[in-house]
Amino acid sequence: MRGDDRQAYDRGSNIFSPDGRLYQVEYAREAVKRGSASVGVRVEEGVVLAATRRVRSPLLEPRSVEKLHAIDEHHGVASAGHVADARQLVDVARRSAQIERLRYGQPIATEELTTEVSRHIQEYTQSGGARPFGAALLVGGFVEGEARLFETDPSGTPYEWRATAIGGGSDGIRERLKERYDPEMGLDDAVALARDVLSEEDDVEEEFIAVAVIDDDGYRAVDGAAGADSDAE
């Protein structure tokens, strides 16, 4: 009696199936889709990152659910998927930014930062005894007057976007972004767009949506109710 032949490939993150698939990477992508959604919108003035905080209990403080992370004053990250995996990748990004600053005395370029994180992710798709990261990131940056927005996925492949979404319901959110995104819009309009497409997906209340902006003034959180800068960490 033979078991399911696919199980052998399921258990190995560095073993290709006969049809050229890495099942562990595909499962990691499914883990991202089961996470709450995050959105990134790039405009000329900067980048907006927004994320839904999934609160599983009324006793849980929504602000304790971290989906947005400052990397340095020029970069921020929004995550979807396993929170612990995302935190490890955020640490990789922060170290890369610090090394660039200490070595060259200048901020790391957003594309280079994304490449460093993607390289780290990709190593876990070909190493024995390790599993791929079950998290995806949106990396936004504003360096030398230029706004950039990238996505990393569990395969270690980076993509650059004008506007996109990751996590649960991302396909529907991207469709709404495609209909409403305007590259000429201002930063305030981009913040409103990010909030709208997230709230429409799962009818999320405003307090459960975290928003951050990266522009010429650096990375900062945005208050949900008033739309003003927040003093919260």
Side-chain angles (χ1 to χ4, degrees):
M1 295 178 64
R2 293 197 314 164
D4 185 354
D5 290 338
R6 196 184 68 171
Q7 290 181 356
Y9 307 108
D10 280 359
R11 289 191 288 265
S13 64
N14 57 348
I15 301 174
F16 284 101
S17 70
D19 58 353
R21 299 167 68 184
L22 286 173
Y23 287 111
Q24 287 289 314
V25 172
E26 294 186 18
Y27 297 154
R29 287 185 175 131
E30 287 300 315
V32 172
K33 291 180 181 179
R34 291 176 181 271
S36 55
S38 294
V39 167
V41 180
R42 186 193 81 190
V43 292
E44 187 174 343
E45 296 175 34
V47 177
V48 175
L49 298 175
T52 303
R53 297 183 175 115
R54 181 176 293 172
V55 180
R56 303 181 184 277
S57 168
L59 301 177
L60 183 64
E61 172 55 57
R63 289 177 298 179
S64 68
V65 182
E66 290 187 290
K67 295 291 299 293
L68 304 180
H69 308 266
I71 301 304
D72 60 13
E73 63 178 304
H74 301 279
H75 296 94
V77 162
S79 65
H82 289 302
V83 174
D85 287 11
R87 285 175 178 161
Q88 292 295 315
L89 297 177
V90 168
D91 286 344
V92 171
R94 286 172 174 166
R95 285 197 299 270
S96 298
Q98 290 170 1
I99 288 170
E100 183 79 9
R101 173 68 73 177
L102 291 171
R103 184 174 294 168
Y104 301 109
Q106 63 185 21
I108 191 170
T110 310
E111 184 172 7
E112 182 181 350
L113 175 65
T114 307
T115 300
E116 289 297 322
V117 175
S118 298
R119 183 180 296 117
H120 183 78
I121 294 171
Q122 196 276 333
E123 289 176 359
Y124 281 76
T125 69
Q126 61 181 22
S127 302
R131 64 163 175 79
F133 288 93
L137 303 180
L138 295 178
V139 183
F142 193 84
V143 181
E144 296 182 351
E146 184 179 21
R148 306 288 295 273
L149 175 65
F150 291 87
E151 172 196 355
T152 70
D153 86 334
S155 72
T157 305
Y159 305 92
E160 185 169 13
W161 295 86
R162 294 179 178 178
T164 191
I166 55 176
S170 57
D171 291 341
I173 294 173
R174 275 195 292 266
E175 285 300 316
R176 288 194 289 277
L177 286 171
K178 190 185 301 183
E179 295 171 0
R180 305 181 197 177
Y181 175 77
D182 180 357
E184 302 298 323
M185 69 171 55
L187 203 55
D188 290 341
D189 290 334
V191 170
L193 173 62
R195 282 203 180 103
D196 288 345
V197 295
L198 280 175
S199 62
E200 290 170 13
E201 179 60 28
D202 292 316
D203 197 21
V204 182
E205 295 181 14
E206 192 75 33
E207 65 176 311
F208 298 123
I209 297 177
V211 182
V213 167
I214 311 137
D215 61 5
D216 201 39
D217 294 326
Y219 176 97
R220 65 187 188 278
V222 176
D223 185 278
D229 295 351
S230 171
D231 294 328
E233 293 295 328

